[in-house]
Each structure stands twice: as C-alpha cells, then as structure tokens.
Amino acid sequence: MTTKTRDLTWANVDADDDAEMKEFRRQEELKARKRAQAAVKRLRDQGIMDARGQRVRKDVPVDMRGDSECDLG
C-alpha cells in the first residue's frame, strides 16, 4: 500500500533534512521528465522532430536567414 506524500516546494522543504531533500529532488526530476516528454511530443506533432529525435524541418523564418536585412539593434 502506497501513501501519497505532500508535494514539496522550495517554500516548504526542509533543506537540512536529507531524506526530505531526496524526495524533493525526486519530485522535481519527475516533473522535469514530464515537461521534456511534452516538449518532444509537441515537436513531433508539429513535424519538426522525427521519432529518432532528428530535426525534420530545416527551414528557418525569413528574418533569420543569412541574407536578411533585419536589424535588432
């Protein structure tokens, strides 16, 4: 039987408690993994990345091309 622990944040984590910091890092790594997976899914859905993680689209916006006269300064 698993018990749900509270969601730790920088506001409520005890940084001096090694066990609590370990759980905090585990929770943050899990959240980061979910965000990365969502980003990869978006790139695949947009046709920018293939299933192997290779970039499919090589084109760039007009203002980013080498011959662009766009001036950001």
Side-chain angles (χ1 to χ4, degrees), residues 10-49:
W10 280 114
N12 67 9
V13 69
D14 180 3
D16 295 324
D17 183 348
D18 290 338
E20 196 165 288
M21 283 302 295
K22 182 178 180 179
E23 177 62 20
F24 174 70
R25 283 190 297 272
R26 189 194 66 74
Q27 286 180 7
E28 291 302 304
E29 289 169 1
L30 182 62
K31 290 176 192 175
R33 185 176 304 114
K34 288 180 181 179
R35 286 191 304 269
Q37 290 170 342
V40 167
K41 183 180 181 328
R42 278 193 308 275
L43 291 172
R44 285 184 185 159
D45 292 347
Q46 294 171 351
I48 297 172
M49 181 187 291

Side-chain angles (χ1 to χ4, degrees), residues 46-48 55-62 64-65:
Q46 294 171 351
I48 297 172
R55 189 171 167 195
V56 174
R57 292 182 55 189
K58 304 289 184 187
D59 58 324
V60 293
V62 176
M64 293 180 67
R65 295 183 183 152

